[in-house]
Amino acid sequence: NAALKNATYDCPSHISLFLTGGGISHIKGVRELLTHKTGRPVEIIAPGIDKYNKPECSALLGLINMATVEAEAREQVGHDFDRTKKEGFFSKLKNKFGGKKND
Protein backbone atom coordinates (compact mmCIF):
# COMPACT_ATOMS: atom_id res chain seq x y z
CA ASN A 1 0.00 0.00 0.00
CA ALA A 2 2.86 2.39 0.81
CA ALA A 3 4.41 1.79 -2.63
CA LEU A 4 1.09 2.60 -4.31
CA LYS A 5 0.68 5.75 -2.26
CA ASN A 6 4.23 6.90 -3.05
CA ALA A 7 3.93 6.23 -6.79
CA THR A 8 4.68 9.26 -8.95
CA TYR A 9 1.84 8.44 -11.33
CA ASP A 10 -1.90 8.18 -10.84
CA CYS A 11 -3.00 4.59 -10.35
CA PRO A 12 -6.80 4.49 -10.05
CA SER A 13 -8.11 2.02 -7.48
CA HIS A 14 -10.11 0.03 -10.05
CA ILE A 15 -6.95 -1.02 -11.92
CA SER A 16 -5.75 -4.54 -11.12
CA LEU A 17 -2.39 -5.27 -9.57
CA PHE A 18 -0.39 -7.94 -11.38
CA LEU A 19 1.63 -10.47 -9.42
CA THR A 20 4.45 -12.16 -11.31
CA GLY A 21 7.41 -14.26 -10.29
CA GLY A 22 7.66 -17.48 -8.35
CA GLY A 23 7.96 -16.09 -4.82
CA ILE A 24 4.70 -15.43 -3.04
CA SER A 25 2.54 -16.13 -6.09
CA HIS A 26 2.68 -19.86 -5.26
CA ILE A 27 1.28 -19.41 -1.75
CA LYS A 28 -2.27 -20.67 -1.53
CA GLY A 29 -4.72 -17.81 -1.03
CA VAL A 30 -2.21 -15.01 -1.67
CA ARG A 31 -4.29 -13.45 -4.44
CA GLU A 32 -7.32 -13.18 -2.18
CA LEU A 33 -5.21 -11.88 0.72
CA LEU A 34 -3.57 -9.17 -1.38
CA THR A 35 -6.94 -8.19 -2.87
CA HIS A 36 -8.32 -7.80 0.66
CA LYS A 37 -5.26 -5.92 2.00
CA THR A 38 -4.92 -3.49 -0.93
CA GLY A 39 -8.59 -3.07 -1.81
CA ARG A 40 -7.72 -3.72 -5.46
CA PRO A 41 -8.21 -6.71 -7.73
CA VAL A 42 -5.03 -8.83 -7.92
CA GLU A 43 -4.20 -11.13 -10.82
CA ILE A 44 -1.42 -13.70 -10.94
CA ILE A 45 0.12 -13.46 -14.39
CA ALA A 46 1.61 -16.45 -16.19
CA PRO A 47 2.39 -16.97 -19.89
CA GLY A 48 -0.05 -19.02 -21.93
CA ILE A 49 2.65 -21.33 -23.28
CA ASP A 50 2.87 -25.02 -22.39
CA LYS A 51 5.69 -25.84 -19.94
CA TYR A 52 6.20 -22.09 -19.32
CA ASN A 53 2.76 -21.30 -17.89
CA LYS A 54 4.11 -20.45 -14.45
CA PRO A 55 4.35 -17.00 -12.85
CA GLU A 56 8.15 -17.28 -12.60
CA CYS A 57 8.36 -17.38 -16.42
CA SER A 58 6.47 -14.09 -16.89
CA ALA A 59 9.47 -11.76 -16.82
CA LEU A 60 11.66 -13.96 -19.02
CA LEU A 61 9.07 -14.49 -21.74
CA GLY A 62 7.94 -10.88 -21.50
CA LEU A 63 11.51 -9.72 -22.11
CA ILE A 64 11.92 -12.10 -25.05
CA ASN A 65 8.61 -10.89 -26.49
CA MET A 66 9.58 -7.24 -26.05
CA ALA A 67 12.95 -7.79 -27.75
CA THR A 68 11.34 -9.67 -30.63
CA VAL A 69 8.66 -7.03 -31.15
CA GLU A 70 11.30 -4.28 -31.07
CA ALA A 71 13.46 -6.08 -33.66
CA GLU A 72 10.47 -6.66 -35.94
CA ALA A 73 9.39 -3.02 -35.61
CA ARG A 74 12.86 -1.84 -36.63
CA GLU A 75 12.82 -4.12 -39.66
CA GLN A 76 9.39 -2.85 -40.70
CA VAL A 77 10.41 0.80 -40.63
CA GLY A 78 13.42 0.07 -42.81
CA HIS A 79 16.33 0.44 -40.45
CA ASP A 80 19.46 -0.75 -42.19
CA PHE A 81 21.25 -2.95 -39.68
CA ASP A 82 25.02 -3.12 -39.84
CA ARG A 83 25.59 -6.70 -41.02
CA THR A 84 29.26 -6.53 -40.03
CA LYS A 85 28.33 -6.51 -36.34
CA LYS A 86 28.33 -9.76 -34.42
CA GLU A 87 24.97 -11.50 -34.58
CA GLY A 88 23.06 -11.20 -31.31
CA PHE A 89 21.44 -13.94 -29.26
CA PHE A 90 17.87 -13.16 -30.31
CA SER A 91 18.88 -12.94 -33.98
CA LYS A 92 20.46 -16.37 -33.73
CA LEU A 93 17.27 -17.76 -32.18
CA LYS A 94 15.11 -16.16 -34.83
CA ASN A 95 17.30 -17.46 -37.65
CA LYS A 96 17.47 -20.95 -36.18
CA PHE A 97 13.80 -21.33 -35.36
CA GLY A 98 11.88 -19.85 -38.24
CA GLY A 99 13.61 -16.67 -39.22
CA LYS A 100 15.40 -15.89 -42.45
CA LYS A 101 18.28 -18.13 -43.42
CA ASN A 102 21.76 -16.64 -43.25
CA ASP A 103 23.35 -16.02 -46.67
Side-chain angles (χ1 to χ4, degrees), residues 57-91:
C57 296
S58 296
L60 171 65
L61 292 178
L63 180 60
I64 290 172
N65 181 59
M66 187 172 62
T68 304
V69 168
E70 174 69 20
E72 289 173 356
R74 287 184 182 194
E75 287 177 9
Q76 287 178 0
V77 296
H79 284 272
D80 186 20
F81 293 108
D82 182 359
R83 301 293 180 199
T84 61
K85 289 185 179 177
K86 187 174 179 181
E87 186 177 26
F89 175 72
F90 291 111
S91 296

Side-chain angles (χ1 to χ4, degrees), residues 33-48:
L33 176 69
L34 289 174
T35 296
H36 174 73
K37 292 289 186 180
T38 63
R40 296 169 176 264
V42 174
E43 297 179 40
I44 297 176
I45 303 298

